[in-house]
Amino acid sequence: MTHRLDKGMDNATEQVGMTTAYWNVQSLSEEGEFSDKQDISTRRAMSEAASLLLKGGIVAFPTETVYGLGADARSTAAVEAVFAAKGRPSDNPLIVHIAERSQLESLVTEVPPIALTLMDMYWPGPLTIVLPLRPNVLSNRVTAGLDTVGIRMPNHRVALALIQEAGCPVAAPSANRSGRPSPTLASHVQEDLDGRIDGVLDGGPAGVGLESTVVRVFSNGVIQVLRPGGITIEQLGKVKGATVISVGGAYEEAQSAISPEIMTESVQVKKVASEAPRSPGVKYTHYAPQGELSIVRGSSPQAVASEIELLLDKARHDGTMTGLLAFEEHMPFYGLNPANIVISLGSIDTLAEAAHKLYTSLRLFDEMGVAYMLSEACPEEGLGEAIMNRLVKAAGGRIIEIE
């Protein structure tokens, strides 16, 4: 039996009972501020969650990208609780979330002009900027001992209200077990972290569906993209006087990617193989479903569909539960039942729907017991770069190239 799942994805996973505190805050006002008209239970929930953070607890909350797992970034004990809950490697730095730009002064020593321009253009929003850290203001576990910190201002009323209520910088990786697909629903958080964290603020579905873009900026106008995300390279390229370089985060890659013309002393890019990554999501396998995922890429949609059908048919004959991620325009190239579970990623011409659905789709495959799944590739332009980045990591680098 084949199921086609392309509508109503936000309600695909049921909430289950839990011991972790749960608050429904979907009624929080669009302004994200408390007022006399604010729902009393929502105000109480935000106050309780903020109090937990200040006491060293860890609380999951929605952002416009995915759900984050928040801790007081100043508390080593709290940050260590985040690593323990996620099962996350300790050399993987965390992003710090703020609610007001005025908080930057106490956290960093310098904000280059190009960073200010980026903030004017894309904050609040899915953009993390790596800046030089002011000593002794955050736990060393947040930065993995580095002298820089990634900071962003989320564009979500619940996230901003929580940070404002707590009054502290909030370190927050995605609220999932390390390696699993990132959570875009509160129920995803419960599935992975029930009983491991202090609370979950349910603010409804996340928006973009992919994590923030992480960049490092330099005084000479270089914007180094460490991780692609919700803000595309094309958008970054709109910054006047900027040179945008996408290097995936590794310094050894950055050295060869940055041309001699812009290699100045202000661009501190060195080949240090043992250095920890300055951005999350660039070193380890991430976003992976429980089954085996591969990406199929080829010269034409018809050729890709033909190869995918052959591979899926073989797996199904072996008794394996199969899944397919394909774009809407390519569906006519497949037969009636190409896989047990077929999910449309929406139009290949826009990709916003694909970004929004990706992690939920991978989790649905897990829920349905899919052991072997294939995904079409997409052009690595605009949001396509971030989508392919996450797909390749989720697939463990398995890409099937066909003529």
Side-chain angles (χ1 to χ4, degrees):
M1 181 178 181
T2 295
H3 302 272
R4 170 141 181 215
L5 305 174
D6 56 3
K7 303 293 182 184
M9 299 277 296
D10 289 336
N11 297 317
T13 307
E14 290 187 6
Q15 294 177 0
V16 296
M18 58 184 295
T19 56
T20 300
Y22 172 87
W23 305 280
N24 188 325
V25 292
Q26 297 185 50
S27 63
L28 184 61
S29 68
E30 289 296 329
E31 292 76 19
E33 299 176 353
F34 301 125
S35 68
D36 292 338
K37 295 181 180 180
Q38 184 64 58
D39 179 81
I40 294 176
S41 64
T42 297
R43 295 179 66 188
R44 182 183 300 117
M46 299 302 296
S47 178
E48 290 174 356
S51 178
L52 276 174
L53 287 180
L54 291 175
K55 292 177 181 177
I58 53 178
V59 176
F61 61 94
T63 76
E64 81 282 19
T65 58
V66 298
Y67 272 73
L69 180 56
D72 185 341
R74 305 166 301 182
S75 168
T76 294
V79 174
E80 286 178 344
V82 169
F83 283 111
K86 285 179 61 69
R88 182 186 179 101
S90 61
D91 65 343
N92 212 358
L94 305 182
I95 291 171
V96 173
H97 295 64
I98 62 176
E100 298 177 359
R101 200 183 295 189
S102 60
Q103 293 177 273
L104 281 172
E105 185 177 353
S106 65
L107 299 176
V108 302
T109 59
E110 177 189 3
V111 182
I114 201 76
L116 290 172
T117 301
L118 287 171
M119 293 172 193
D120 289 339
M121 295 176 69
Y122 300 120
W123 274 15
L127 179 67
T128 296
I129 304 176
V130 175
L131 296 167
L133 175 66
R134 189 176 293 279
N136 304 317
V137 295
L138 298 178
S139 167
N140 284 337
R141 296 301 300 274
V142 170
T143 62
L146 295 173
D147 59 357
T148 57
V149 60
I151 299 178
R152 91 175 186 98
M153 186 186 297
N155 188 19
H156 195 288
R157 60 189 185 276
V158 173
L160 292 173
L162 174 64
I163 299 167
Q164 288 170 342
E165 183 78 358
C168 68
V170 175
S174 55
N176 58 300
R177 290 288 288 172
S178 188
R180 293 277 289 133
S182 297
T184 56
L185 297 169
S187 54
H188 296 161
V189 180
Q190 293 172 288
E191 179 184 341
D192 280 8
L193 299 177
D194 181 23
R196 294 176 176 270
I197 63 177
D198 294 291
V200 179
L201 286 165
D202 183 354
V208 177
L210 297 178
E211 297 82 358
S212 64
T213 301
V214 181
V215 300
R216 195 176 182 195
V217 297
F218 302 95
S219 57
N220 65 347
V222 171
I223 300 174
Q224 179 187 358
V225 180
L226 304 179
R227 181 183 72 183
I231 300 296
T232 67
I233 286 181
E234 289 79 4
Q235 288 174 294
L236 295 172
K238 294 179 180 179
V239 178
K240 186 176 181 180
T243 301
V244 183
I245 300 166
S246 181
V247 295
Y251 276 165
E252 50 268 38
E253 296 175 13
Q255 188 182 45
S256 61
I258 298 181
S259 63
E261 290 78 12
I262 59 173
M263 276 291 290
T264 70
E265 292 184 359
S266 63
V267 183
Q268 300 295 324
V269 181
K270 301 178 181 179
K271 188 173 183 179
V272 183
S274 61
E275 184 172 18
R278 293 185 183 261
S279 166
V282 300
K283 185 173 182 180
Y284 301 99
T285 298
H286 287 270
Y287 326 116
Q290 294 172 3
E292 179 181 307
L293 170 68
S294 296
I295 303 164
V296 182
R297 182 165 57 193
S299 57
S300 71
Q302 294 92 333
V304 167
S306 178
E307 181 68 16
I308 285 176
E309 284 200 296
L310 287 173
L311 293 171
L312 291 175
D313 187 61
K314 181 179 184 302
R316 291 175 76 181
H317 275 90
D318 292 338
T320 302
M321 186 78 163
T322 60
L324 169 62
L325 294 174
F327 291 95
E328 189 63 33
E329 294 90 338
H330 303 161
M331 288 297 184
F333 303 135
Y334 294 93
L336 184 61
N337 298 313
N340 296 109
I341 307 295
V342 178
I343 299 177
S344 169
L345 290 174
S347 173
I348 198 169
D349 292 330
T350 60
L351 296 181
E353 187 175 354
H356 182 69
K357 281 185 173 181
L358 179 58
Y359 292 143
T360 302
S361 299
L362 296 179
R363 285 180 175 269
L364 269 172
F365 283 149
D366 287 347
E367 182 183 332
M368 302 296 287
V370 175
Y372 180 74
M373 62 211 83
L374 296 175
S375 175
E376 296 182 345
C378 68
E380 296 187 51
E381 300 172 354
L383 269 179
E385 182 183 24
I387 292 168
M388 285 299 293
N389 172 273
R390 305 311 193 271
L391 271 174
V392 170
K393 287 184 176 293
R398 290 183 294 269
I399 301 178
I400 300 169
E401 301 277 5
I402 61 173
E403 295 296 330

